[in-house]
Amino acid sequence: MPSKETLPSAPSEPVRKPRYWIKTYGCQMNVHDSEIYAGLFTDMGYEEAGNADEADVVLVNTCSVRERAEDKLFSRLGELRQMKEALLAGSTGAGARKVLVGVTGCIAQQRGKEIMERAPGVDFVIGTRAIHNLPEVLAAVQEGAGPQVMIEDRVQFEAPGARRQDRVKAFVTIMEGCNNYCSFCIVPTTRGFEIYRSAEAIIDEIRGLSLRGYREVTLLGQNVNSWLDPESAMGFPDLLRAIDAALESEHQDGGVQRVRFLTSHPKDLSPNLIEVMGDCERVAKHLHLPVQSGSDR
């Protein structure tokens, strides 16, 4: 029998990757936390959406410093709930799509389950010290375990997969938390007490960023100049000297040329720190001091 001619198969539709969208409020620490979340999403096979309407997972990374921050958050969560319901219904039921909404950051750490009580459309809440738990939290929600709240007191500084927003400047976290209970500030409640990253790990990350072509790094912490090495008790001025020396020894063309830091507390601004800023070639001659309003004195 003559063989049947094989008809060419129709080209298959490309598989649509799941998408994420992150809205970030607040300080540079939150910006860098969002970069870490974006890296975790990428590792899970997600791609970034152009806006919330196109996303399968929407993350709202919150800040609680401003007085009206919570009001703005819950107003936004109300809008997202309406969007979720509209997308789930679809115009005719054919384009229905389920969207998950998560709340992270300082309000998440501070309020936890209260967020879900006020905003039933929220699927998960992740605190400031549980960032790297995103994959397991998301998996639990997707597998039908119901709304999840992860408020954990465990800091993981390393962020090798962070999707950095800038190709020239990079954030490097050197500490978390604050031990100063200033009357106007919520940071010790939302970020916890001070935990320090080792000098070796900090310098290794900066060297890696330098090799990748970054020109500037900003050292981050809620009270960055109170940093102490957890092993040697080296202070922040000596860390700056060590970073400057490490970058000088690389003799790279196009590596890190400027090192900045924020935020600084005035009580930890020592003469030694000022001297280091003057001596070290790569430490920027720039000082960020937070000034709070509300008291003329």
Side-chain angles (χ1 to χ4, degrees), residues 5-295:
E5 183 178 351
T6 303
L7 296 175
S9 57
S12 59
E13 290 289 330
V15 178
R16 177 188 177 277
K17 287 185 176 181
R19 297 174 183 171
Y20 71 90
W21 185 79
I22 303 174
K23 175 63 178 177
T24 307
Y25 297 95
C27 66
Q28 289 87 349
M29 290 288 287
N30 270 20
V31 171
H32 188 40
D33 287 349
S34 290
E35 292 177 339
I36 296 172
Y37 278 121
L40 292 170
F41 275 117
T42 301
D43 290 344
M44 290 187 287
Y46 284 71
E47 61 184 14
E48 187 175 10
N51 53 59
D53 293 345
E54 300 173 358
D56 300 287
V57 181
V58 174
L59 213 60
V60 185
N61 196 6
T62 64
C63 172
S64 60
V65 170
R66 302 292 182 185
E67 184 177 357
R68 295 185 58 205
E70 289 193 27
D71 294 336
K72 291 180 179 179
L73 167 65
F74 287 105
S75 174
R76 181 59 175 151
L77 292 178
E79 296 170 1
L80 289 173
R81 184 182 182 185
Q82 293 177 357
M83 182 200 76
K84 282 181 62 172
E85 292 172 350
L87 288 173
L88 187 59
S91 55
T92 61
R97 180 162 56 86
K98 184 175 182 180
V99 178
L100 300 180
V101 172
V103 178
T104 64
C106 291
I107 296 179
Q109 182 72 30
Q110 187 181 8
R111 299 300 182 192
K113 291 182 180 179
E114 293 180 37
I115 293 173
M116 292 182 172
E117 293 170 1
R118 288 185 59 181
V122 174
D123 297 286
F124 61 93
V125 174
I126 299 177
T128 54
R129 296 194 171 191
I131 293 176
H132 292 272
N133 293 103
L134 173 67
E136 64 187 77
V137 170
L138 198 55
V141 175
Q142 292 170 334
E143 291 167 6
Q148 300 289 305
V149 177
M150 178 65 75
I151 307 296
E152 191 171 295
D153 193 9
R154 180 175 62 88
V155 175
Q156 183 175 336
F157 288 113
E158 283 67 28
R163 288 197 63 189
R164 301 180 187 273
Q165 297 181 3
D166 197 309
R167 296 302 303 166
V168 177
K169 304 175 183 179
F171 294 127
V172 175
T173 302
I174 70 167
M175 64 169 294
E176 276 270 3
C178 183
N179 294 343
N180 300 309
Y181 273 87
C182 301
S183 59
F184 56 78
C185 186
I186 197 68
V187 165
T189 301
T190 58
R191 291 279 180 174
F193 291 119
E194 293 178 3
I195 296 178
Y196 313 115
R197 189 179 184 187
S198 73
E200 181 181 4
I202 294 166
I203 293 170
D204 282 348
E205 181 172 355
I206 293 172
R207 276 178 169 152
L209 291 167
S210 190
L211 288 169
R212 288 159 58 190
Y214 283 91
R215 305 286 287 176
E216 178 175 309
V217 296
T218 300
L219 309 180
L220 294 181
Q222 274 75 35
N223 187 16
V224 70
N225 50 352
S226 69
W227 175 91
L228 289 171
D229 185 85
E231 298 174 2
S232 68
M234 173 197 295
F236 184 64
D238 289 330
L239 174 65
L240 291 179
R241 286 193 187 277
I243 292 171
D244 188 67
L247 292 172
E248 177 66 25
S249 68
E250 298 291 337
H251 298 293
Q252 293 180 32
D253 293 328
V256 170
Q257 300 298 313
R258 293 177 298 277
V259 179
R260 302 182 187 274
F261 57 91
L262 56 90
T263 294
S264 310
H265 196 290
K267 75 177 181 62
D268 297 308
L269 186 61
S270 65
N272 188 20
L273 177 56
I274 297 297
E275 182 180 342
V276 167
M277 292 177 67
D279 290 345
C280 295
E281 181 181 345
R282 287 174 174 77
V283 177
K285 312 308 186 248
H286 167 263
L287 191 63
H288 176 266
L289 289 174
V291 179
Q292 296 290 332
S293 61
S295 171

